[in-house]
């Protein structure tokens, strides 16, 4: 029974020696590589600190720039200069959208670059990773191409300031007032109050009716026998008066012009009147011009086609025009009446005796 004891002792001695050897090897390996670990750790820490600091500085700079744009818009809003520029709400939404895009792009670039640098620090081969990311990006791009198209179109629309909140636009698929501008969808309120959600990628062409200036065009139809000089003088007087009255003097950006005759017919003439107005004020100015022209024409005795004078002329027409012509059948002795009368039966003659 005793021979087994030395074997057990020898086994314990070998295990202790192996443990010491392994500990020695581990200590040597640590002593040989601790500098590499420290260098790698410091490099990773430096990359993280630089990326975080750079990201914070860039985002703060973008935020300050957006706030300055908003303060400038708020300072001019409500003044005469603010009426010529875009309104504060439009500037605010546009600046916020641009700021959001810039912050997202900056964060993506900084964080992505830092992650690749950290992976490179660990001696990881980035070629397969970049190739896989490229393939995945292409697949996602094909699958979500409509979303990408909408997003890119929205970014360029905002950067180019094609339209903003409060503008009246014709987007082809819908027409109305812009109530919200997004990177993917633009909201329009139509004339009947309906809200249209228009994808930015579906807009092929767009007409902004609220930028620059508008034109108020009025056509005045008068009778062909009216005095053209009197008509022109009356229209000129109306234009001069509306240019002095408030608030129309601010909405008009030019004098009211009498363009002349647009058409001459047998019973009427059409005189064109035009005025340059503030954006979006053309309909209001045109309605006011029609109102004042009608009152001025009534005061000057100038008749408008379809007015009371035309109705009186129709009432004073020849009453005999509605009476039918006399008929030949009214006379009983006329050939027409005799031909149309029934044939009388033959008269009975005297009977012959047997």
């Amino acid at each position: 029974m005793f021979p087994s004891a030395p074997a057990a002792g020898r086994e314990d001695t070998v295990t202790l020696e192996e443990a010491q050897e392994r500990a020695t090897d581990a200590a040597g390996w640590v002593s040989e590589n601790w500098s590499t670990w420290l260098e790698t750790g410091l490099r990773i820490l430096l990359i993280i600190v630089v990326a975080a600091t750079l990201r914070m500085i860039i985002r703060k700079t973008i935020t300050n720039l957006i706030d300055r744009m908003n303060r400038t818009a708020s300072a001019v809003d409500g003044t005469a200069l603010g009426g010529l520029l875009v309104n504060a709400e439009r500037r605010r939404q546009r600046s916020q959208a641009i700021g959001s895009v810039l912050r997202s792009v900056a964060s993506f670039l900084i964080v992505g670059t830092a992650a690749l640098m950290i992976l490179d620090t660990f001696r990881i081969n980035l070629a397969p990773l970049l190739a896989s990311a490229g393939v995945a990006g292409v697949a996602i791009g094909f699958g979500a191409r409509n979303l990408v198209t909408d997003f890119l179109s929205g970014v360029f629309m905002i950067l180019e300031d094609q339209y903003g909140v409060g503008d009246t636009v014709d987007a082809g698929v819908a027409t109305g007032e812009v109530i919200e501008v997004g990177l993917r969808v633009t909201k329009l309120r139509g004339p009947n109050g309906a809200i249209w959600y228009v994808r930015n990628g579906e807009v092929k062409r767009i007409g902004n009716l609220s930028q620059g200036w508008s034109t108020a065009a009025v056509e005045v139809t008068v009778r062909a026998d009216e005095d053209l000089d009197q008509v022109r003088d009356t229209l000129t007087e109306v234009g001069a008066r509306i240019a002095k009255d408030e608030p129309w003097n601010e909405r008009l950006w030019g004098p009211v012009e009498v363009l002349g005759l647009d058409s001459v017919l047998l019973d009427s003439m059409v005189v064109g009147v035009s005025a340059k107005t503030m954006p979006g004020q053309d309909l209001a100015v045109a309605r006011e011009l029609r109102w004042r022209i009608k009152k001025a024409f009534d005061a000057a005795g100038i008749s408008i086609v379809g007015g009371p004078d035309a109705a009186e002329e129709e009432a004073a027409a020849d009453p005999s025009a509605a009476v039918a012509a006399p008929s030949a059948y009214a006379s009983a002795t006329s050939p027409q009446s005799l031909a149309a009368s029934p044939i009388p039966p033959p008269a009975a003659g005297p009977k012959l005796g047997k």
Side-chain angles (χ1 to χ4, degrees), residues 342-348:
I343 300 176

Side-chain angles (χ1 to χ4, degrees), residues 160-214:
E160 296 173 0
D161 193 19
Q162 298 180 7
Y163 55 81
V165 176
D167 289 351
T168 301
V169 300
D170 180 4
V173 295
T175 302
E177 180 182 354
V178 179
I179 60 177
E180 184 178 342
V181 179
L183 294 177
R184 192 181 69 86
V185 175
T186 298
K187 292 183 182 179
L188 302 178
R189 184 177 297 278
N192 58 351
I195 297 179
W196 297 92
Y197 295 84
V198 181
R199 289 172 43 196
N200 295 330
E202 296 295 328
V203 179
K204 303 303 180 184
R205 56 91 178 167
I206 190 165
N208 195 324
L209 307 179
S210 300
Q211 287 185 353
W213 45 269
S214 301

